[in-house]
Amino acid sequence: MEEQTIPNWLKKRADLTPDRIAIHFCDSSITFWELFHLSTKTAGQLSTVGLKKGQFVGVLLKNHQDTVLILLAMQMLGVKAVILNNRLTTEELIWQLNDSRSSFLITEDAFERHIHEFTRKIDGLTIITKQNLFQRKVSSPEILDEYHMNDVCSVMYTSGTTGKPKGVLQTYGNHWWSAIGSALNLGLLEADTWLCAVPLFHISGYSILVRSMIYGMTIVLHETFDEEQVIKDIQKHNVTIMSVVSVMLRRMINSLNDKTLPKTFRCMLLGGGPAPLSLLEKCVEKGIPVFQTYGMTETASQIVTLAPEHAMSKLGSAGKALFPSQLKILNSSGRKAAPYEEGEIYVKGPNVTIGYLNREQATKDSIQNGWLATGDIGYMDDEGFLYVLDRRQDLIISGGENIYPAEIEGVLLSHPEISDAGVTGLPDEKWGQVPAAVIARNRGSQLSEEEVISFCTEKLAKYKVPKKIKFVSELPRNAAKKLLRRKLSELF
Amino acid sequence: MEEQTIPNWLKKRADLTPDRIAIHFCDSSITFWELFHLSTKTAGQLSTVGLKKGQFVGVLLKNHQDTVLILLAMQMLGVKAVILNNRLTTEELIWQLNDSRSSFLITEDAFERHIHEFTRKIDGLTIITKQNLFQRKVSSPEILDEYHMNDVCSVMYTSGTTGKPKGVLQTYGNHWWSAIGSALNLGLLEADTWLCAVPLFHISGYSILVRSMIYGMTIVLHETFDEEQVIKDIQKHNVTIMSVVSVMLRRMINSLNDKTLPKTFRCMLLGGGPAPLSLLEKCVEKGIPVFQTYGMTETASQIVTLAPEHAMSKLGSAGKALFPSQLKILNSSGRKAAPYEEGEIYVKGPNVTIGYLNREQATKDSIQNGWLATGDIGYMDDEGFLYVLDRRQDLIISGGENIYPAEIEGVLLSHPEISDAGVTGLPDEKWGQVPAAVIARNRGSQLSEEEVISFCTEKLAKYKVPKKIKFVSELPRNAAKKLLRRKLSELF
C-alpha cells in the first residue's frame, strides 16, 4: 500500500481556478494564480537563504499578506514551520525555538527587540527578517508536486495552562482533513468568503488559509481584530463566514447596536471555549447564525460543531463530531459515561495530531489507539450532543462540589454592566477552594461588589457565588483572545 | 502510523442529520435514521443467512430501495459486494460469479431464469432472493463502527471491450475520496438532491449512494431511465444534480421540447464517454448546466470534470483532474505529451482502484507508481484542459491516419433525423481499416445512405467518411447506456 499523497494544494488550486480572488488584504487583492506565483518566488528566496526540506524553521510574524506567502512557501518546500505566537515574551519564544531545535527563524523588523535577544542567547540560529528576505535574489526552488499526508507541515505550541508548552505536530493530512470535515458540515458555496481576524499563528487562522486553497475560497485577512473594520468588511466583501471567540463576538454585537449583519453572512464559527448563554441568546435575537464549535491545536481546528438544523434547539452545545471524526466521554472510572454524566472528552479522527514534538512520553500519555485525551470536561445529552463544561485543570472543587468557572462567567456576562469576566479558584481553609471573579465593567459603570454578589445569588447555587471580586480594566487574555485563567489568581 | 479509518458513514449520517430525507423512491420517502435502521435490520438478516465479514458476495438486483438496503447492509458488515450487471447473459454472470469466488448471491425473483441456471452450473454457491431474505428472522448484526480506508468495499466488473472482464476492487477509501473530490468541485448545498436514474450496479449509480451518506443529501431513485418521469421528478423534488450519459441527455432534450429545467437544477453531470458537440450546444441553448466528466469503474466515478467557470469557454473538454487527483498524457514513446499532442491518458489519486481481483499481472500492467493507464486516448490543451478522444481499442487506423469513432458519431448525431449512431472500423484490404456507421433514424424518417454520406462529406475529411452505413431501430448499448462498439462490427 503506497502512502497517501495529495497534490500540492496551492499549485492545484492555481491550476483549477487561477482567476478567483484568494486574498483581500488592506486595499489589495490577489488571485490564486498570483498567490501561487508570489509564494513560489518566496520559496525561491527561502531556498537561497538555505532552507531545506525537512527542517524545522521558526516563524514569528504578524497577520499580513507577506506572512501568507511565507507560510505557503514553506508548505511547498516541505519545511516544517514552527509557528510562534507573537504575543509571547522573549524568554518564552527562546524556549520554544530551542525546544523545536529550529535552525532558522523568519521574522520581521517589528520584532527587533526580540531579535536582539535571540542573537545574544541562541546559538546556531540564523535569523532572517522578511524585509531582508524579499530583497534576496530569486532562485528556482524545488517545489513539492505532492504532499504526503503523514508528513509534518506545521508545529504550534499549546498555550500550556500547566507545565511547559508542547509543540503540536500538525501533518498535511491533519490540515487537509480538518478542511474536509468542516466543508461536510458547513457546506461549500462558490460565493463563500471567510473573514480572518484571528491570528495566522493560531490554528484558527492557519486553518482558514488551508481551507482557502482546498475550497478555492476568498479570504479577507485583517491585521488585528477591530469590530468596526470587521463589520465594514463583511458588507464590502460579502463575507459569508467568520471565525470568532466569545469576546470578539461580544464586541461585534455591541458595535452593531440595532443593526445586524447582511443576509449573505451565513456562519459565525464560534470557538475558543464554552460560550456564555446570554451571548448566544443575543445572537439569536439579532439573527446571527452562530455555529458553536469545539477544537484545539491538537485537532487542527474544530472537531465538534453544531449542525445547522440544531443551532436553535441545542443552544449552548458544541454539537457533534465532524463527519470524519469521533467523540466519547470517559467518566472518572475510565468507563464510557452515560448521557448527562460528566467526564473527560476524548476525540479521534484524521485531523488529530500524530503527537508532540520530541515528547514521546507526553504523546503516549495523551494519545492511545488514536484517541486523544483532551483534558476538557463535558457531557453528552441523550441525543449525543456535546456540552463542554471546562478545562479539567480549571475545575474548582469546593466542599466536594464541582464548580465550572465557565458557568459563573456566563452569569456574570449576562449582567448589562459587565463587559468581561473571568473566574478562578482560590485556596480556602474550610472549603478547599472557593470561586473568585475578576470583572471588567462597562465604561462609566459604578457597579459594586455587593451588587455583583447579589446578582449572582439570584442565579447561582450559593457555593457557586464568587467569594471575592476584583474589578480590572482588562482581563488577561492570550493572542487568541482566550482567557488566561492561571493569571487570574495572581490578581488576588 | 495507524491505518486510516472513517466512521461507518451511514451510522454517522443517521447520528448527524437523522431527520433529513435520504431517499425518495416511487411514492415513498425515508430519512437517514430510517435508512440506517432498515439497513441494520437487513444486515441482521444477511448475518442469519451466513454472510460474514471479508467474504465476496454476489449481488444481482434491479434499481430499488431494497437494493440500497442490501448494499448498505453489506458495507456495514464488511462484506465485499460483487455487484453484477443485471443486463448480462447467464453465461457472463456465471463467469463473474466463478471468477470472484463468491460464496453467496443475493438476487431477486425477477431473475428466476438466471437462478435456475446458476443452481445447475455453479457448485457451492448459496443463492438467496431478497423476497426470501426479508422474511428471515432478524439477528443482532455485528455492524462496523469504522471503515478502514484500504479495505475492499465493492467489486465491479469492467465492461471488457477486449478480453474477459476484470473485477475492479473498490475500497471504502476509493468511494470516500471520490465523493470528496466531487464535492470540492461542485460545491455542497444543503438543498442538494441528486436524481439517480443510472444503475446502482454501475459506479455512476453506486457513487451517488455514497455521496448521499457523506454529504447528507437526498437521492431521488428511479428504477429505470424514463425521460418523462425524470423531468417530472426534477420539478417535484427540486432536484439540483443528475448523472447522465449522452443518450439519456439527448432523450431529455427532445422530451423537453421548448421547455427547460427549473433554475434550481444546477448540474447535469455528463459521463460515459466523449459527448457530441451538437448535444452540448443544445444544452447551452436551453440553459442546462452541463458538467462534462471523465471517469471509469477504476476511478470510482468521475476523476476529471469541467469546473463551473469553464463550462462555456471549454465546451467539449472533460476539464481538469479533481482536487485530490492528477492527470497526465504519455505519447507513443512513453514521454509526457506536449500540449495538443495525443497520447494515452494516465490518472492518479486516492480514488483510483488498488487493482483487479485475482489479476496480479493485469494490476501491475495497469497501475505503476500509483498511475493508472486508462487505455483512453486524449490530449491536453495549453491550459491543461483534457479532451478525451476515444478508447484506444476503438481507434480506427485507416491508411496510417487515426480516426476516432466518437468524432464521426458527433457529426452523425448533429443530423436532425438521426437519433442514435455508432461507428466502428471494418477490415479493408487497401486501407487496413475503414470507418462504418450504424444509425438509428427518427421515427418516420426516410433518410438514405447517400444522404448520410453526403452530409458527412461536407463536415469530415474524406478518410473519415463512413464507407458503409447500416440502419437499425436501436443501437447495442450496455446497462449504463454505453455504446458497445465491438457489437457494431457484427452487424456488417
Side-chain angles (χ1 to χ4, degrees):
Chain A
M1 192 55 49
E2 280 189 59
E3 206 211 319
Q4 187 81 82
T5 62
I6 27 172
N8 170 331
W9 44 47
L10 177 55
K11 190 178 174 188
K12 181 77 176 184
R13 177 50 61 195
D15 180 44
L16 287 178
T17 54
D19 303 328
R20 281 196 203 164
I21 296 296
I23 300 178
H24 291 296
F25 178 71
C26 294
D27 288 328
S28 83
S29 307
I30 56 171
T31 64
F32 282 103
W33 192 89
E34 291 166 330
L35 182 61
F36 172 58
H37 286 275
L38 289 170
S39 301
T40 303
K41 185 180 162 193
T42 306
Q45 289 163 324
L46 289 170
S47 296
T48 309
V49 165
L51 265 66
K52 286 193 179 56
K53 185 166 187 285
Q55 282 175 332
F56 288 91
V57 171
V59 178
L60 178 66
L61 293 165
K62 298 180 172 190
N63 267 22
H64 192 285
Q65 183 171 300
D66 296 343
T67 307
V68 175
L69 302 186
I70 291 167
L71 290 172
L72 300 189
M74 286 185 172
Q75 286 182 355
M76 297 202 293
L77 288 172
V79 164
K80 296 161 183 149
V82 178
I83 308 176
L84 300 164
N85 181 328
N86 63 36
R87 317 276 176 94
L88 297 184
T89 64
T90 309
E91 288 310 309
E92 288 171 312
L93 291 168
I94 289 176
W95 193 90
Q96 296 184 7
L97 283 164
N98 281 326
D99 184 69
S100 62
R101 299 166 199 168
S102 294
S103 41
F104 290 87
L105 171 69
I106 312 296
T107 182
E108 57 188 288
D109 289 344
F111 297 119
E112 203 189 337
R113 193 174 44 89
H114 292 311
I115 297 172
H116 183 72
E117 292 293 301
F118 296 160
T119 315
R120 231 166 47 88
K121 294 189 179 161
I122 312 179
D123 284 336
L125 177 73
T126 307
I127 301 175
I128 299 127
T129 62
K130 71 174 190 183
Q131 287 81 3
N132 184 305
L133 180 74
F134 289 148
Q135 282 170 13
R136 297 282 175 133
K137 262 185 60 181
V138 179
S139 73
S140 177
E142 277 189 51
I143 292 295
L144 299 177
D145 268 334
E146 298 180 343
Y147 296 152
H148 287 259
M149 288 295 219
N150 295 332
D151 281 356
V152 172
C153 172
S154 53
V155 180
M156 291 181 192
Y157 279 79
T158 46
S159 32
T161 41
T162 53
K164 281 287 182 189
K166 299 189 288 286
V168 178
L169 300 169
Q170 297 162 335
T171 62
Y172 289 90
N174 290 154
H175 291 303
W176 168 273
W177 282 94
S178 169
I180 296 302
S182 179
L184 289 176
N185 182 49
L186 298 178
L188 203 56
L189 313 188
E190 217 184 318
D192 274 339
T193 298
W194 203 304
L195 193 144
C196 175
V198 286
L200 289 172
F201 62 71
H202 188 268
I203 188 59
S204 59
Y206 192 88
S207 64
I208 298 174
L209 274 194
V210 175
R211 291 187 200 111
S212 163
M213 291 180 281
I214 295 175
Y215 305 167
M217 178 185 72
T218 305
I219 296 180
V220 178
L221 179 64
H222 282 196
E223 287 185 89
T224 53
F225 174 73
D226 176 303
E227 56 269 41
E228 303 289 339
Q229 196 53 45
V230 163
I231 292 168
K232 236 181 257 171
D233 266 15
I234 288 178
Q235 290 277 4
K236 180 175 168 193
H237 294 297
N238 299 310
V239 167
T240 58
I241 310 181
M242 178 181 180
S243 302
V244 291
V245 295
S246 300
V247 63
M248 291 163 71
L249 184 53
R250 200 158 48 237
R251 279 165 57 182
M252 285 178 68
I253 294 278
N254 289 341
S255 179
L256 274 169
N257 273 321
D258 52 349
K259 287 172 295 180
T260 185
L261 297 176
K263 283 264 174 294
T264 42
F265 186 87
R266 70 184 187 90
C267 167
M268 187 69 86
L269 203 65
L270 174 61
L277 210 66
S278 61
L279 178 64
L280 297 174
E281 283 165 350
K282 267 185 203 154
C283 290
V284 171
E285 270 174 44
K286 279 204 164 310
I288 296 174
V290 173
F291 291 64
Q292 226 192 317
T293 74
Y294 169 70
M296 60 212 79
T297 309
E298 285 88 339
T299 60
S301 121
Q302 26 150 2
I303 187 161
V304 178
T305 306
L306 203 60
E309 37 258 276
H310 304 295
M312 307 300 292
S313 61
K314 297 283 179 181
L315 208 64
S317 165
K320 296 194 170 187
L322 295 181
F323 203 95
S325 303
Q326 298 174 69
L327 173 67
K328 67 181 179 188
I329 310 276
L330 296 188
N331 63 20
S332 49
S333 29
R335 294 215 195 84
K336 217 167 175 179
Y340 299 101
E341 187 188 1
E342 291 164 14
E344 183 169 3
I345 301 169
Y346 284 74
V347 293
K348 180 180 178 178
N351 54 329
V352 171
T353 178
I354 53 169
Y356 298 103
L357 179 61
N358 305 323
R359 294 280 197 293
E360 214 177 306
Q361 191 54 48
T363 301
K364 274 187 198 156
D365 291 346
S366 299
I367 309 170
Q368 278 160 21
N369 302 317
W371 287 95
L372 171 79
T374 64
D376 290 327
I377 308 169
Y379 65 88
M380 287 201 266
D381 69 12
D382 50 3
E383 293 183 280
F385 285 84
L386 175 68
Y387 291 78
V388 181
L389 294 170
D390 228 313
R391 291 290 303 167
R392 191 162 58 175
Q393 54 261 51
D394 293 334
L395 186 69
I396 302 166
I397 303 180
S398 187
E401 293 282 2
N402 286 355
I403 301 178
Y404 300 104
E407 185 192 1
I408 305 174
E409 287 161 8
V411 167
L412 291 170
L413 288 166
S414 72
H415 191 290
E417 288 182 53
I418 293 178
S419 62
D420 202 359
V423 169
T424 187
L426 296 181
D428 183 88
E429 277 195 19
K430 186 169 176 193
W431 303 107
Q433 281 184 299
V434 289
V438 179
I439 290 171
R441 287 170 291 197
N442 291 348
R443 193 175 295 198
S445 160
Q446 295 296 321
L447 191 68
S448 71
E449 182 167 344
E450 293 69 38
E451 285 169 319
V452 172
I453 287 176
S454 124
F455 179 76
C456 287
T457 308
E458 277 175 37
K459 298 177 184 272
L460 289 167
K462 202 177 165 207
Y463 70 94
K464 294 182 189 170
V465 174
K467 300 299 169 282
K468 286 191 181 174
I469 307 275
K470 183 111 195 161
F471 292 107
V472 294
S473 59
E474 199 174 356
L475 268 81
R477 290 188 176 271
N478 72 9
K481 303 267 181 279
K482 255 187 167 168
L483 188 61
L484 295 171
R485 284 226 182 76
R486 76 207 138 106
K487 294 217 170 168
L488 293 181
S489 326
E490 298 166 11
L491 294 170
F492 289 94
Chain B
M1 192 55 47
E2 279 189 60
E3 208 210 320
Q4 187 83 78
T5 62
I6 27 173
N8 170 331
W9 45 45
L10 178 55
K11 190 177 173 190
K12 181 78 177 183
R13 178 50 61 196
D15 179 43
L16 287 179
T17 55
D19 302 328
R20 281 196 203 162
I21 297 294
I23 300 177
H24 290 297
F25 178 72
C26 294
D27 289 327
S28 83
S29 307
I30 56 171
T31 64
F32 282 104
W33 192 90
E34 291 167 331
L35 181 61
F36 172 58
H37 285 275
L38 290 170
S39 301
T40 303
K41 184 180 164 193
T42 306
Q45 290 163 323
L46 289 170
S47 295
T48 311
V49 165
L51 265 66
K52 285 190 179 59
K53 185 166 187 287
Q55 282 175 332
F56 289 90
V57 170
V59 177
L60 179 66
L61 293 165
K62 299 181 172 191
N63 267 22
H64 193 284
Q65 183 170 299
D66 296 343
T67 306
V68 175
L69 301 185
I70 291 167
L71 290 173
L72 299 189
M74 286 184 171
Q75 285 182 355
M76 296 202 293
L77 289 172
V79 164
K80 296 164 181 145
V82 178
I83 308 175
L84 300 163
N85 181 327
N86 65 35
R87 318 277 175 93
L88 297 184
T89 64
T90 309
E91 288 310 309
E92 289 171 310
L93 291 168
I94 290 175
W95 192 90
Q96 295 184 7
L97 283 165
N98 281 327
D99 184 70
S100 61
R101 298 164 201 170
S102 294
S103 41
F104 290 87
L105 172 69
I106 312 296
T107 181
E108 57 188 286
D109 287 346
F111 298 118
E112 203 189 340
R113 190 174 47 89
H114 292 310
I115 296 171
H116 184 72
E117 291 293 301
F118 295 159
T119 316
R120 230 164 48 87
K121 293 188 180 163
I122 311 179
D123 284 336
L125 177 73
T126 307
I127 301 174
I128 299 126
T129 62
K130 71 174 191 183
Q131 288 81 2
N132 184 304
L133 179 74
F134 289 148
Q135 283 169 13
R136 295 284 175 131
K137 259 185 63 180
V138 179
S139 74
S140 178
E142 277 188 51
I143 292 295
L144 300 177
D145 267 332
E146 298 179 344
Y147 296 151
H148 286 259
M149 288 294 218
N150 296 331
D151 281 356
V152 172
C153 172
S154 53
V155 180
M156 293 181 192
Y157 279 79
T158 46
S159 30
T161 42
T162 54
K164 282 287 184 189
K166 299 188 288 286
V168 178
L169 300 170
Q170 296 162 335
T171 63
Y172 289 90
N174 291 153
H175 290 304
W176 168 273
W177 282 95
S178 169
I180 296 300
S182 180
L184 289 177
N185 182 49
L186 298 178
L188 202 57
L189 311 189
E190 217 184 316
D192 274 338
T193 298
W194 203 305
L195 194 145
C196 175
V198 285
L200 289 172
F201 61 72
H202 188 269
I203 187 59
S204 59
Y206 191 87
S207 64
I208 299 174
L209 273 194
V210 175
R211 289 186 202 113
S212 162
M213 291 181 282
I214 295 175
Y215 305 167
M217 179 187 69
T218 306
I219 296 181
V220 178
L221 179 65
H222 282 197
E223 288 185 271
T224 52
F225 174 73
D226 176 301
E227 56 269 42
E228 303 288 340
Q229 196 54 46
V230 164
I231 292 168
K232 234 182 259 172
D233 266 13
I234 287 177
Q235 291 277 4
K236 181 174 166 193
H237 293 297
N238 298 310
V239 168
T240 57
I241 311 181
M242 177 181 182
S243 302
V244 292
V245 295
S246 300
V247 63
M248 292 164 71
L249 184 53
R250 200 158 47 240
R251 280 165 57 182
M252 285 178 69
I253 295 278
N254 290 341
S255 180
L256 274 169
N257 274 321
D258 52 351
K259 286 172 297 180
T260 184
L261 297 176
K263 282 266 172 291
T264 42
F265 185 88
R266 70 183 187 91
C267 168
M268 187 69 88
L269 203 64
L270 174 61
L277 210 64
S278 61
L279 178 63
L280 297 175
E281 283 164 350
K282 266 185 203 155
C283 289
V284 171
E285 270 173 46
K286 279 203 164 307
I288 296 174
V290 173
F291 291 64
Q292 227 192 317
T293 74
Y294 169 70
M296 59 211 80
T297 310
E298 285 88 340
T299 60
S301 124
Q302 27 150 4
I303 186 161
V304 178
T305 306
L306 203 59
E309 37 259 274
H310 305 294
M312 307 300 292
S313 60
K314 298 283 179 180
L315 209 65
S317 166
K320 296 194 171 188
L322 295 181
F323 203 95
S325 304
Q326 298 173 70
L327 173 67
K328 68 181 179 187
I329 310 276
L330 296 187
N331 63 20
S332 48
S333 28
R335 293 215 195 84
K336 217 166 174 179
Y340 300 103
E341 187 187 2
E342 290 164 15
E344 183 168 2
I345 300 168
Y346 284 74
V347 292
K348 180 179 178 180
N351 56 327
V352 171
T353 178
I354 53 169
Y356 298 104
L357 180 61
N358 305 324
R359 293 281 197 291
E360 214 176 308
Q361 192 55 47
T363 300
K364 275 187 200 156
D365 291 346
S366 299
I367 309 172
Q368 277 159 21
N369 301 318
W371 287 95
L372 171 79
T374 64
D376 290 327
I377 309 169
Y379 65 88
M380 287 201 266
D381 69 12
D382 50 3
E383 295 184 278
F385 285 84
L386 176 69
Y387 291 78
V388 181
L389 294 168
D390 227 315
R391 291 289 302 167
R392 190 162 61 176
Q393 54 260 49
D394 293 334
L395 185 69
I396 303 167
I397 302 180
S398 186
E401 294 280 3
N402 286 356
I403 301 178
Y404 301 105
E407 184 191 2
I408 305 174
E409 287 161 7
V411 167
L412 291 169
L413 288 166
S414 71
H415 191 288
E417 288 184 52
I418 293 179
S419 64
D420 204 359
V423 169
T424 187
L426 296 181
D428 182 88
E429 276 194 18
K430 187 167 176 195
W431 302 106
Q433 283 184 298
V434 289
V438 179
I439 289 171
R441 288 170 291 198
N442 291 347
R443 193 173 296 197
S445 160
Q446 295 296 319
L447 190 70
S448 70
E449 183 166 344
E450 293 70 35
E451 286 168 316
V452 171
I453 287 175
S454 123
F455 179 76
C456 288
T457 308
E458 278 174 37
K459 298 176 184 274
L460 289 167
K462 202 176 164 205
Y463 69 93
K464 295 183 187 170
V465 174
K467 301 297 169 284
K468 287 192 179 173
I469 306 275
K470 184 108 196 162
F471 292 107
V472 296
S473 59
E474 198 175 357
L475 268 81
R477 290 188 175 271
N478 73 8
K481 302 268 179 278
K482 255 187 166 167
L483 189 61
L484 296 170
R485 284 225 183 76
R486 74 208 141 105
K487 294 218 167 166
L488 293 181
S489 327
E490 297 166 12
L491 294 170
F492 289 94

